[in-house]
Amino acid sequence: MAEETEEMRREMERMETKEGGTAAGRVDGCEAVRTEVAAQAEDEEKEKKKMMKKAAKEAKKLAAIAKKKAKEEELKSNVGKDNAKKQAAKEAAERKKAEKEAEAKEIQRLIEIAKATPKGVKKSMSEKMEKGYHPQLVEAAWYDWWEGCGYFQAEPASDKPKFVMVIPPPNVTGTLHLGHALTDSIQDALARWKRMSGYEVLWLPGTDHAGIATQTVVEKKLAREQQISRHDIGRENFLKEVYKYVDDYGGRICRQMRRLGCSLDWSRERFTMDKQLSTAVGEAFVRLHSEGLIYRENRLVNWDCTLKTAISDIEVDYIDIPGRTMLKVPGYSEPVEFGCLTSFAYQIEDGNGEIVVATTRIETMLGDTAVAVHPEDERYAQLHGKFVIHPFSGRRLPIITDAILVDMSFGTGAVKITPAHDPNDFATGKRHGLEFINVFTDEGVINEHGGMFEGQKRFETRLTVVEALKEKGLYRGMQDNPMRLGLCSRSKDVIEPMLKPQWWVNCTDMAAEACKAVRDGDLKIIPREFEATWFRWLENIRDWCISRQLWWGHRIPAYYVILDGEESKAGKPGTTAELVDHWVSGRTQEEAEAKAKELFPGRSFRLEQDEDVLDTWFSSGLFPFSTLGWPTATKDMDAFYPNTLLETGHDILFFWVARMVMMGMKLTGKIPFSTVYLHSMVRDAHGRKMSKSLGNVIDPVQVIEGITLDELHATLHTGNLDPKEIARATEGQKADFPNGIPECGTDALRMTLLAYTSQARDVNLDINRVVAYRHWCNKLWNAIRFAMINLGDNFEPPSLLDFSQAPMECRWILSRLNAATMQVSKALSDYAFSDATTALYNFWQYELCDVFIELMKPTLAREDSEESSLQKRLTRETLWCCLENGLRLLHPFMPYVTEELWQRLPKSDATSRLDSLVIAPFPQENTSLQDEVAEEEMRILDAVVRVARSIRSNYGLTKQRPSLYLLSRAERVGEIVSRNSTVITTLSSSSEVVVVDDASKIPSGCAVEIVNESSSVYLLLTGVINPAEECAKMEKKINAIQEQVSALQGKFAAPGYEAKVPEWLQKENQEKLQRLVAEQESAKIALAEIQKLV
């Protein structure tokens, strides 16, 4: 630009010279030129700027396009990477899934191979040991082999000490529930322990015919499938149907007992309807009848209108009714009212006034035969000896005086008397010779004595009688009246006292003998708290009604004698018109005929056998000796009676135990067993009673094999629950088992049940605890796998144990093995099963696996030398000794997994002679293994390790291995720690252990915690953690816990929480809150410790 301006200037000068113009002209010309040049330059500048702006805009546009393209390329690249990652993850997941499926197929193949093992043939151990524990694979084939080898059969000629139990016989057509599983687990643990301890063990199995339960099921089946009743086909054909049902469904519970591993002597299996046991039942009845202890009498019985049979006093459950209450009663569509006292008036016969009485069972007034007042009650003195008139039948009812029955201060002081339908009135009727009028049929319907009310159901009559009384002007009102209501424990029907001729057992003297046996120490009851219950019941015992109006059961061997010519006088047997002195008993009809001839010499007669059967508990009461051949003097009776132990639930102490003792002592002259152990009752995790309507009744096989939630729901539809109960139970199952029940296996279930058994009343069974023991089985499995790997193929177990030169940890674990042996043996002797399982768990889990096996690893990893070779050998021998003896200790509790693992262990000269763990000797105390020095040293080391682990936990250390400093003013402690530093570093995950006697020797940046008054542990954290980051993590954790605490507190404060939320859930929430608060406090302490390092 400067060059162009200079050129223009020279051009102007030339022009001026050439033209020769004036100075002014020359100036004007120059100015014009300048103006033109300037304008041209300005235009050029503008154009240039315009071009530059356009170029910049274009460049910016190009840059934007390039940037966009770059982003697209980057995004494309990232998507590719993400897709690659996703694809890799997908492929990894598919590989893992395929591996799992392949593993599952392989396990299933092995299970099928094991299950295909011929019965009685030993399971092959040739397959390699799987990586993990699989219950089905482990449990397959062992039981059939045990049974086939005859390990469970008792030999009466054996010179070994005897241990004898009979199983509480379950319902022959029933199925296992967790109560059975608890019984079986306890008894099998005892049987296996005694068998391994050198006893000749007889654990005798059997089933009960369960009269009422089985007959009811078959009757319902006939009605449902063929629309017929037992009366349509007759007694003989009905019993054929029952036996057919027993053949189809019987034995299921015995198969389930085998599944539980019960080491029962199946060669002696008994059924209460077997010929031998039926013979014993007949013998017992005839003997007791001959002695007058069994007698026939018209008395009030507990009548069940649903089952249409009498039941015993102890089969009646009582509930308290606080006042007017509506209850559902079987056979009624609408609820029935109870807890009300209805008053009405009887008119005096001469028309001179009335007398008001009251009753909670107004329907029974149809059977009133008198009105009673107190002889000293002046209000009724003028009515003594007079009559009232029944408003419906017109009967004359005497007004009697009775100081025993009548309480002048209660109500009006006058009491209606219904001798045929009330126990107190029955006694009053006997005292005053009153008429006994039964107004109910066996079905609970008003009979012909009810007049205008005939044909009505008893509780319908409760309403119609009141209406009729109102019409006659005799109704005087109704008021609340607290009362106890008796219900049948089976049908839940309201018990109706009914007058029936029945067979009764006079229990007074037998009960006194049973009490004496306990007081004298000849019979021991465990827990002892039940002795008071034993005495209270037996000292207040009433005669036992043993007649049952059923067809299924032991038909009573009694015959009614009907003399020729006196058929009408004799009355029909089984009715109140029968002659109770016309009965004879006999083991056979021929024996009964001979007795009838003695009773009625020279008379012609015919016999009718009693249609009724005996109470099921009568035959069960003979079980300890009828199963051994009584009344015949058999080898079994001589060898195995009396039994050693009776183990059962405390709920049948009276139903079964007391009756066995009474009948055993009376019929054999011996107490049937020396000890009674009563176990706890099984409840659910919330402490609720097991109930189908709650959905918490669990079949043990469902726990053993596992079951889905849908399959659990399906089980609810197989019973007799109504739709509302099914809906309730379904919700209960969803709450308790949201994911169903996983496969746990037999061993885990047994161990859990035994761990719960601590002689308390109840077992609150949480399925999650069974799952935990299933995982523990895997721990055992891995311990043996570790042993098989580290023992080596050429390992030979020692014939003689000499561990004097073994490392301290070896001597310590052997000493702990000896302690566990003593603890388990003592616990089993004391029936303290929970103590036994605790001792076993502690040894295996906390001592053998968590400590010794961890301490083995550094020893086995050392380079070979003469010393290290010795240490390695002794360490391996110690491991084998602990595992072999530990499995034997555990076998009575977990038979399957212990047998499987024991079979895989190398065998010593002694164990090689044993085919099975079932017959291996149970470990005994070995004082040579006891090592107090090693145990004391390990206690010192363990204290240091625990404190170090506590510090690690507080600071969230996981993989880091900081240096550990022990400040100790106790020289011996320091020496022990220094000598066993490897123990500390291994168990505390420390890099080194430095023992000092002065705090100044410890570097800064350590966390410290006190061990005891003379020692403290320091962990060097400098460079190990980032204090700021750890503080942030801990604060986040504290805040998260606070959110949970606030949420729970909000629930507690919600309106109606206490009223709406179940008590068990409130308790769980409260416990959860306490855990959260405790966890939060620990986190705050940890935060404070970390902040010290910031």
Side-chain angles (χ1 to χ4, degrees), residues 743-757:
E743 178 191 29
C744 295
T746 298
D747 292 311
L749 176 60
R750 286 172 55 124
M751 191 70 168
T752 304
L753 290 169
L754 291 164
Y756 272 118
T757 304

Side-chain angles (χ1 to χ4, degrees), residues 597-611:
K597 288 177 181 178
E598 291 181 12
L599 188 62
F600 301 103
R603 300 292 300 273
S604 297
F605 57 84
R606 62 185 175 86
L607 299 179
E608 284 190 14
Q609 187 174 357
D610 195 340
E611 291 285 330

Side-chain angles (χ1 to χ4, degrees), residues 559-697:
Y559 300 81
Y560 191 62
V561 182
I562 302 174
L563 300 173
D564 288 352
E566 295 186 7
E567 286 82 0
S568 58
K569 177 183 175 183
K572 184 180 179 182
T575 69
T576 54
E578 75 168 39
L579 302 173
V580 296
D581 59 352
H582 276 222
W583 287 93
V584 294
S585 64
R587 298 168 182 82
T588 63
Q589 186 164 339
E590 291 74 21
E591 182 180 349
E593 287 175 353
K595 289 183 178 180
K597 288 177 181 178
E598 291 181 12
L599 188 62
F600 301 103
R603 300 292 300 273
S604 297
F605 57 84
R606 62 185 175 86
L607 299 179
E608 284 190 14
Q609 187 174 357
D610 195 340
E611 291 285 330
D612 294 346
V613 300
L614 288 163
D615 179 8
T616 300
W617 295 105
F618 188 90
S619 55
S620 297
L622 311 176
F623 206 70
F625 47 96
S626 64
T627 52
L628 298 175
W630 185 89
T632 305
T634 63
K635 291 181 179 178
D636 276 4
M637 191 68 186
D638 181 58
F640 301 121
Y641 188 82
N643 301 172
T644 310
L645 174 71
L646 189 283
E647 194 284 330
T648 189
H650 64 72
D651 57 324
I652 55 174
L653 180 62
F654 311 133
F655 282 94
W656 189 43
V657 181
R659 286 166 174 165
M660 282 189 289
V661 173
M662 290 191 295
M663 296 178 78
M665 294 179 72
K666 180 63 185 175
L667 294 169
T668 71
K670 298 176 181 178
I671 303 170
F673 28 75
S674 56
T675 303
V676 175
Y677 174 72
L678 303 170
H679 66 243
S680 312
M681 302 305 298
V682 180
R683 296 180 180 272
D684 71 7
H686 313 298
R688 299 174 301 177
K689 187 177 181 180
M690 295 293 187
S691 168
K692 290 181 180 179
S693 63
L694 292 176
N696 59 2
V697 174

